[in-house]
Amino acid sequence: MASKTKHYAAELVGKTVARVRQISAQEAADFMWYEDGNPTCVIEFTDGTYALVAADPELNGTGFLDIGKYGA
């Protein structure tokens, strides 16, 4: 899956994950997300940054984080 262009999330390489959690009801309301059936997750890093799984770059809704393993 190598690419010749830098991926927008390349800045996450080398960060240490501190916590992975479901988005809170208040955070979802702040984004005006009212999709109870599709909760999303927040990945928090030790340096204070986070990654939020959303439907698109404009944060128009929640998203799903697919987790897999190469060669499995």
Side-chain angles (χ1 to χ4, degrees):
M1 299 185 89
S3 174
K4 293 183 180 182
T5 60
K6 185 174 181 178
H7 190 272
Y8 75 94
E11 67 186 82
L12 299 178
V13 173
K15 290 187 181 286
T16 301
V17 174
R19 186 166 81 141
V20 179
R21 61 177 176 81
Q22 184 170 320
I23 193 169
S24 71
Q26 182 59 56
E27 290 168 324
D30 290 347
F31 284 113
M32 294 184 285
W33 292 345
Y34 304 105
E35 304 159 7
D36 290 339
N38 189 24
T40 193
C41 73
V42 178
I43 303 167
E44 297 176 341
F45 300 94
T46 55
D47 67 356
T49 60
Y50 67 89
L52 176 69
V53 182
D56 55 37
E58 289 80 28
L59 303 176
N60 287 314
T62 60
F64 178 79
L65 176 65
D66 184 54
I67 301 170
K69 184 175 182 178
Y70 290 110

